[in-house]
Each structure stands twice: as structure tokens, then as C-alpha cells.
């Protein structure tokens, strides 16, 4: 059994037991990034909430620890981790997003933090090779993989003018078909199994893999991505450690104020208009896996 580091999150009192429902959207995503992240960051269609990245890093790693995000996008994990005193390496297949991550590192971090953050271009399925000598020493892998569904940058102004809502060039992170954002169903599962196997190799025994996913509807059916992810990670050799819920709505006076994406809201509204009882999803699944100590 791994020893959990004695790390408490910001407002958590010493000795209290943490809850596994995390309010991570008390302010909007845009507000959380405002003035901190470079404007090119907003072009990325699937970013992690900075408050959520911080919560994961504070809970599952210790200051000075090595944190890796093998699908780092614009570098949210690196930025928040370096601010929290962790050494961070981010990897993304796309040179475009890797360079936005570098721009964020240059923009936000002071000299000391900057020295702790690094971005590499590479394939998450080849993480041990991408990390070289550091493979096997990583304390925490924190990542949000593609969700096996179409994502694109929403342009409401273009839509109001009668253009398409999503620029086709922004779909699935890249036009490059080798980007895992294009994969669905069995192909997605095969590729993600390879990613989680690579994660197992790169973690130290007792290290954590934390994935953030969201269940989606496709063709009227729920795709239970949390379930798919947990079985893939266990198939790769991880132990299932904890399932936390990251609230995407703000808590105000005891009520959850939803902050749905444009997509989510319009899909749910359309479903309701047709009499389909679909709810707005106000959480992401934060799945925590442990590399067993005996796993060399
Ligand atoms: C959900 S996004 C992660 C966003 C990130 N958490 C952030 O806050 O910016 C998934 C990322 O995985 C990247 N990706 C897709 N296939 C990959 C692969 N084989 N290796 C590494 N990165 C990949 C995409 O380019 C995309 O940036």
C-alpha cells in the first residue's frame, strides 16, 4: 500500500478527512485562466480547469515530486504544478499545443518555477522513451485524455453570423489522424490501453495515475468513459484507488449553479424539447489509480 503524502489542499484543515467531491468551478474556466494563460490557449478545445489540476497535484504528490502529463495540451498541469513546487514534464503529440504550453510557461512562471517546468513533443504511447532516464521515477501522472467524441473550438460569433459553430480545422485537436482525438470505440480503447501501459512503466512503484474524463452521449446512448478508463487502467496493471467527482458547477448558498458548455446546454435543451429526460452533467470523473509497490 502506498503512503499518501501529508499534503492538504488550500482550505483543508490539518487532520480533517478530505471529501471526494471537489468544487473546482466556483469561478468560470475563463476567469480561472484570465490574465495567467496566453490568449492562444483559448484555441484549444479541451482544457483542464486550473483549479482541478491544482487539486489533483496537491492531493496526490508532494512538493519537489515529479509530475508528468503525457497529453498536456496547453500545459495546465505543468503550470499549476510548477507553481505548487513540483517538477513537471508535459508531453503532447502536437507541436502546436506544445508551443502554446511553452508560451504559457514563459508567460506565467517566475524564474524559480520556470526552471521546474518542461514540455516535450512526443507520443504518450511511447512515454518511457520520451522521458528517457526519468522513466520509472515519476511520482504522479495527471492527465485528461481525448474523450472519444468530437471536440472543436466553439465560435458563437461566427455561428450568429450563419457560419459553422466549429471551425473544422479545430476539430479533434489536429487534422493529423494519428492524434488520438480522432479515435472512437475499439480503436480508442486499444490506443488508450497502450497509453496506460506506458504510464505504468514510467511511474515509480507506489506512484499515482490520475485521469480526468467525462461521460458523454453519442447517438442517444451514454458512453461511460469513466468505466472504460477504469477497466483499461486495471488491464494495464494499475490498482483502482479512488474515484473523485470534480464539480463543474459553482456551489452558491447550498445550490449548484451549472456552468455547462455551449454544446452540453444545446444538446440537453434539444433533448428536453423532444421529451427526452437528459440531465445536464455537472461533474467530471477524477479516477485515481495506483502502481502497486511490487510492480517493478
Ligand atoms: C483533453 S486534451 C488535454 C488538455 C490539457 N489537459 C490542457 O489543460 O490543456 C488531450 C490532448 O491529448 C493530445 N494527444 C492526442 N493524442 C496524443 C498522443 N498520442 N500523444 C500525446 N498527446 C496526444 C491532444 O493533442 C490534446 O492536446
Amino acid at each position: 500500500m502506498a503512503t499518501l503524502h501529508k499534503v492538504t489542499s488550500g482550505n483543508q484543515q490539518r487532520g480533517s478527512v478530505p471529501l471526494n467531491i471537489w468544487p473546482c468551478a466556483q469561478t468560470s474556466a475563463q476567469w480561472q485562466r484570465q490574465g495567467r494563460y496566453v490568449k492562444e490557449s483559448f484555441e484549444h478545445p479541451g482544457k483542464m480547469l486550473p483549479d482541478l489540476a491544482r487539486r489533483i497535484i496537491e492531493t496526490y504528490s508532494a512538493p519537489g515530486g515529479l509530475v508528468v502529463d503525457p497529453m498536456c495540451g496547453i500545459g495546465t498541469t505543468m503550470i499549476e504544478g510548477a507553481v505548487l513546487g513540483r517538477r513537471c514534464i508535459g508531453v503532447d503529440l502536437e507541436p502546436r499545443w506544445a508551443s502554446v504550453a511553452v508560451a504559457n510557461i514563459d508567460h506565467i512562471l517566475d524564474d524559480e518555477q520556470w526552471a521546474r517546468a518542461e514540455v516535450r513533443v512526443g507520443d504518450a504511447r511511447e512515454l518511457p522513451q520520451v522521458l528517457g532516464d526519468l522513466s520509472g521515477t515519476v511520482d504522479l501522472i495527471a492527465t485528461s485524455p481525448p474523450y472519444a467524441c468530437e471536440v472543436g473550438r466553439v465560435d458563437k460569433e461566427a455561428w450568429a453570423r450563419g457560419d459553422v459553430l466549429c471551425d473544422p480545422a479545430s476539430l479533434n485537436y489536429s487534422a493529423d489522424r494519428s492524434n488520438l482525438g480522432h479515435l472512437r470505440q475499439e480503436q480508442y480503447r486499444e490506443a488508450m490501453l497502450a497509453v496506460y501501459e506506458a504510464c505504468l512503466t514510467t511511474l515509480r512503484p507506489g506512484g499515482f495515475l490520475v485521469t480526468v474524463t467525462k461521460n458523454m452521449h453519442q447517438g442517444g446512448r451514454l458512453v461511460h468513459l469513466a468505466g472504460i478508463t477504469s477497466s483499461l487502467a486495471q488491464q494495464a496493471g494499475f490498482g483502482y484507488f479512488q474515484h473523485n467527482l470534480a464539480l463543474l458547477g459553482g456551489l452558491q448558498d447550498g445550490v449548484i449553479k451549472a456552468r455547462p458548455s455551449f454544446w452540453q446546454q444545446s444538446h440537453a435543451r434539444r433533448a428536453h424539447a423532444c421529451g427526452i429526460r437528459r440531465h445536464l452533467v455537472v461533474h467530471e470523473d477524477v479516477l485515481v489509480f495506483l502502481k502497486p509497490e511490487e510492480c517493478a
Side-chain angles (χ1 to χ4, degrees):
M1 185 67 176
T3 313
L4 263 181
H5 304 294
K6 279 194 180 165
V7 181
T8 51
S9 58
N11 55 2
Q12 197 180 299
Q13 288 192 349
R14 223 189 134 131
S16 66
V17 178
L19 293 179
N20 68 348
I21 295 185
W22 295 355
C24 294
Q26 291 301 92
T27 54
S28 70
Q30 212 167 357
W31 185 255
Q32 290 185 26
R33 288 197 192 89
Q34 198 63 40
R36 300 182 70 228
Y37 285 69
V38 298
K39 68 176 187 332
E40 290 77 12
S41 306
F42 294 88
E43 303 281 316
H44 191 286
K47 302 174 285 292
M48 196 189 291
L49 284 170
D51 280 4
L52 173 53
R54 276 199 294 280
R55 190 98 181 207
I56 293 170
I57 293 162
E58 282 185 312
T59 309
Y60 296 106
S61 71
L66 176 58
V67 177
V68 169
D69 185 342
M71 310 179 98
C72 74
I74 60 139
T76 314
T77 313
M78 274 72 266
I79 301 300
E80 304 305 329
V83 169
L84 290 168
R86 275 61 169 178
R87 294 173 298 140
C88 298
I89 301 176
V91 177
D92 203 284
L93 192 69
E94 304 296 334
R96 175 186 179 188
W97 301 128
S99 62
V100 177
V102 170
N104 278 322
I105 287 172
D106 290 344
H107 178 67
I108 311 172
L109 302 182
D110 65 26
D111 289 352
E112 204 182 310
Q113 296 162 349
W114 184 88
R116 289 197 286 267
E118 193 191 326
V119 180
R120 300 181 184 181
V121 174
D123 191 322
R125 290 165 289 188
E126 289 159 14
L127 195 58
Q129 295 89 310
V130 176
L131 294 184
D133 288 349
L134 292 172
S135 183
T137 71
V138 177
D139 297 294
L140 167 66
I141 294 182
T143 198
S144 176
Y147 288 178
C149 68
E150 199 101 313
V151 283
R153 194 172 65 81
V154 170
D155 186 344
K156 285 190 236 170
E157 282 171 20
W159 191 58
R161 290 194 306 267
D163 286 342
V164 286
L165 182 61
C166 262
D167 176 0
S170 78
L171 288 178
N172 303 322
Y173 309 111
S174 150
D176 179 352
R177 304 291 300 179
S178 65
N179 190 298
L180 303 190
H182 290 277
L183 302 186
R184 306 285 178 268
Q185 300 183 358
E186 193 48 38
Q187 283 184 328
Y188 176 84
R189 286 194 278 271
E190 265 172 35
M192 288 311 301
L193 177 60
V195 171
Y196 298 134
E197 284 170 348
C199 290
L200 190 81
T201 306
T202 36
L203 279 169
R204 64 166 171 79
F208 288 105
L209 163 68
V210 181
T211 64
V212 177
T213 60
K214 190 170 172 187
N215 295 336
M216 298 282 184
H217 277 91
Q218 266 168 26
R221 303 280 160 88
L222 183 75
V223 178
H224 192 235
L225 194 54
I228 293 170
T229 303
S230 83
S231 48
L232 290 176
Q234 289 175 89
Q235 208 179 320
F238 282 99
Y240 197 178
F241 187 79
Q242 176 110 32
H243 181 172
N244 303 317
L245 298 187
L247 270 188
L248 302 178
L251 284 175
Q252 265 176 23
D253 303 324
V255 174
I256 298 177
K257 186 170 178 275
R259 297 184 196 282
S261 68
F262 180 86
W263 283 119
Q264 211 196 348
Q265 192 153 9
S266 61
H267 284 163
R269 285 215 163 112
R270 257 185 278 148
H272 271 247
C274 303
I276 299 167
R277 296 173 191 183
R278 182 170 299 163
H279 293 57
L280 271 181
V281 177
V282 288
H283 73 276
E284 283 182 321
D285 296 289
V286 183
L287 306 173
V288 185
F289 305 99
L290 180 71
K291 174 167 174 170
E293 293 284 359
E294 67 275 15
C295 198

